[in-house]
Amino acid sequence: MRHLKIFEFIEDWAPKGIAWEKDNVGLQIGNPDEETKGILLSLDLSEDALKKAIQEKCNLIITHHPIFFYPVNKVDLSSEQGQLIELAIKNEITIYSAHTNLDFTKDGVSFVLAKKLGLQKITFLENAPSTQYKLVTFVPEQYVSNLVEKLSEAGAGVIGNYTHCSYQLKGKGTFFGLENTNPAIGEKGKLEEVEEVRLEMIFEKWKLNKVLKALLTNHPYEEPAYDIYPLQNRNVNFGFGAVGYLPEKMNLNSFVNLVKKKLNAPIVNYTSGNKKFVQKIGVCGGSGSDLISKAIAEGCDVFVTADIKYHTFLDYADKIALIDAGHFYTEFPVLDEVEKRLKEFLSKNRLKIKLIKYHQTKKIKSI
C-alpha cells in the first residue's frame, strides 16, 4: 500500500479542510507514492523519533505537530530542523502531520482526552463555523433512491452521527430539448412536463468535486439542473474542545488527582473555581485558553487544558476551576486513537505493516 492511501484514510476522519487556515497539515517531507513498509506515530518529529523509525525500518512517520509551522525560506543543514530534514530524506522517510484537523474532529484530540478522564455524553464544546454547501437538484422519482446512495457514497448527507440525510419534495419540471439533445425522458423538439423530486443534501466544501462527479455521473438527465448554496449554520460534524459529564459528582481535589493519574502527568496546576463538587467538565487538548469563556457559558464546573498563563488563572479564579495538565499530557493520548484506527484499517486490507507508537523522550522535565 502506498503512503497516499494511509493519508486518505486519516483525512477521511480528520479532513485537511477543517484545519486552522494558517496551519500546515498533511505531507511535510517525502514521496506519497512510496510503498509503506512501516509506520511510526509520534507527537513531534525529533531526532530520537527519526532514529527509532530508521532502527525499526519504518519509512512513514505520522506526527501531530508539523515540522514546518511557517513558510520555509531556506533549509540550513547545520540547524536542528535542517538536520532532521536531511536525516529523513537520506533514509527515504516520509513525514506526514495531522494537527488542527485532528484537534477539530470527532474522536480527535479533545474527545480522546475527555474519554481518558472518564467523561460521558461527550460533545464539542463549540461547533466549528460552517464549512458546508447544500446541493439542490431535481430528479425523476424513480431515480431518487439511487442518486441519494451515490451522493452519500461521495460524502454528502452527513449530519452528526447520521448519514444519507436528504430532503425530498415532489414537484413538476419542464424542458424543451433542442435539435442536438438526447433527453432521457420524453422527446426533443417538444415541451415536456415531468414529475420530479427536489432533492437537497449538504456536504463539506472540500468534497465539492467528488459530489459533483457523483451527481453528473448518476443523474439520468443529459443536462441535470442543480444549485450549490453556501451555508452559514454551525457545523455539527467538527468543532473545538469537548464537554462531557463525570458519572457522578466528584470532589474537586479528587478530580484534580484523577486528571494527574489518568494522564500520567508529573505535575498539574489548578485553581479551585467556585464549586466544591464538580461533574460537567470542559476539555481542550493542548493550548485551549481561548475556550475558557465558552466553558463558563456552557456551565462547565471545570476546564482542563494546557499552557494557561498566570494572569489567565487569576482572571478566572472565582468563575471556573481551571486545570493545566501540560501540553504533552493532554495531547499524547490521541495517538492511541490513531493507532487503533490504523490497526483496524491495515487489518481490514489484510496488510502486515509494522505500526509503532513512539513514546518520545520529553525535553522538559518536572520535579
Side-chain angles (χ1 to χ4, degrees):
M1 177 177 286
R2 295 181 302 152
H3 294 333
L4 185 61
K5 292 297 181 183
I6 305 291
F7 302 165
E8 290 173 350
F9 170 73
I10 293 174
E11 290 165 17
D12 187 57
W13 166 37
K16 291 196 295 183
I18 198 61
W20 181 47
E21 61 182 5
K22 295 183 180 180
D23 197 9
N24 180 33
V25 299
L27 179 67
Q28 305 287 302
I29 299 170
N31 183 356
D33 290 322
E34 285 288 332
E35 288 292 317
T36 306
K37 299 173 184 175
I39 305 169
L40 183 137
L41 307 177
S42 181
L43 200 66
D44 299 282
L45 182 67
S46 63
E47 183 180 1
D48 290 339
L50 262 173
K51 288 181 177 178
K52 181 67 174 179
I54 295 168
Q55 177 187 338
E56 297 290 343
K57 295 181 171 56
C58 295
N59 66 338
L60 173 61
I61 297 178
I62 299 174
T63 69
H64 180 48
H65 297 130
I67 185 173
F68 304 117
F69 277 102
Y70 307 103
V72 177
N73 297 317
K74 62 181 179 181
V75 177
D76 181 355
L77 298 183
S78 68
S79 69
E80 183 176 351
Q81 185 187 62
Q83 290 170 7
L84 290 177
I85 295 169
E86 182 180 27
L87 187 61
I89 292 174
K90 282 185 175 180
N91 287 277
E92 299 182 339
I93 295 175
T94 295
I95 314 296
Y96 176 92
S97 297
H99 189 213
T100 51
N101 52 324
L102 193 57
D103 289 336
F104 301 158
T105 194
K106 285 184 179 177
D107 294 324
V109 172
S110 293
F111 269 60
V112 170
L113 175 59
K115 291 178 182 178
K116 190 79 172 177
L117 300 180
L119 304 188
Q120 302 173 350
K121 301 178 181 178
I122 302 168
T123 59
F124 288 113
L125 181 58
E126 181 176 0
N127 289 104
S130 180
T131 56
Q132 296 175 312
Y133 294 143
K134 177 183 283 187
L135 166 68
V136 177
T137 190
F138 309 88
V139 59
E141 188 172 7
Q142 63 268 35
Y143 295 97
V144 171
S145 295
N146 180 65
L147 188 57
V148 168
E149 182 63 34
K150 296 302 182 182
L151 290 171
S152 296
E153 289 176 3
V158 177
I159 302 178
N161 293 322
Y162 294 86
T163 64
H164 296 70
C165 299
S166 71
Y167 180 74
Q168 302 173 20
L169 179 67
K170 290 183 179 180
K172 183 177 290 186
T174 64
F175 58 84
F176 184 99
L178 300 178
E179 183 62 30
N180 294 328
T181 62
N182 182 26
I185 296 176
E187 303 175 16
K188 63 183 178 182
K190 179 182 177 183
L191 181 63
E192 299 285 355
E193 292 187 354
V194 182
E195 296 295 326
E196 294 180 334
V197 172
R198 176 189 171 104
L199 174 64
E200 301 182 7
M201 299 181 77
I202 64 172
F203 61 93
E204 301 295 343
K205 62 183 181 181
W206 51 86
K207 295 182 178 179
L208 175 62
N209 291 337
K210 192 174 181 180
V211 168
L212 285 182
K213 182 179 179 180
L215 171 68
L216 298 176
T217 301
N218 296 284
H219 198 292
Y221 287 174
E222 187 177 32
E223 295 284 353
Y226 66 89
D227 302 313
I228 303 292
Y229 298 104
L231 301 180
Q232 295 300 318
N233 46 305
R234 287 269 170 177
N235 192 331
V236 301
N237 299 320
F238 303 99
F240 316 123
V243 60
Y245 297 83
L246 293 167
E248 56 186 27
K249 287 188 176 182
M250 180 180 289
N251 177 280
L252 175 63
N253 289 335
S254 297
F255 180 68
V256 172
N257 287 324
L258 180 145
V259 171
K260 190 172 186 291
K261 180 179 179 181
K262 289 288 186 179
L263 301 184
N264 198 29
I267 187 171
V268 298
N269 295 314
Y270 72 100
T271 53
S272 299
N274 54 10
K275 295 181 182 178
K276 185 176 180 180
F277 292 93
V278 300
Q279 187 170 26
K280 187 173 184 180
I281 313 297
V283 304
C284 181
S287 302
S289 292
D290 289 347
L291 291 172
I292 296 175
S293 293
K294 182 64 176 177
I296 294 171
E298 292 298 316
C300 294
D301 303 322
V302 183
F303 186 61
V304 181
T305 187
D307 304 336
I308 302 175
K309 295 180 179 179
Y310 170 77
H311 287 288
T312 302
F313 268 124
L314 295 183
D315 290 343
Y316 293 99
D318 298 324
K319 300 174 183 177
I320 188 173
L322 297 177
I323 300 178
D324 186 331
H327 200 112
F328 174 86
Y329 299 99
T330 57
E331 289 190 334
F332 185 73
V334 78
L335 294 188
D336 292 334
E337 183 69 20
V338 178
E339 181 184 41
K340 183 189 80 171
R341 287 174 179 254
L342 282 175
K343 281 182 177 178
E344 292 172 354
F345 175 70
L346 295 174
S347 176
K348 181 179 179 180
N349 287 276
R350 298 180 180 180
L351 295 171
K352 293 184 178 179
I353 294 176
K354 181 182 292 188
L355 179 61
I356 297 172
K357 184 179 67 176
Y358 179 63
H359 294 264
Q360 64 199 64
T361 301
K362 296 172 286 298
K363 294 183 178 180
I364 302 173
K365 305 295 183 182
S366 300
I367 58 172

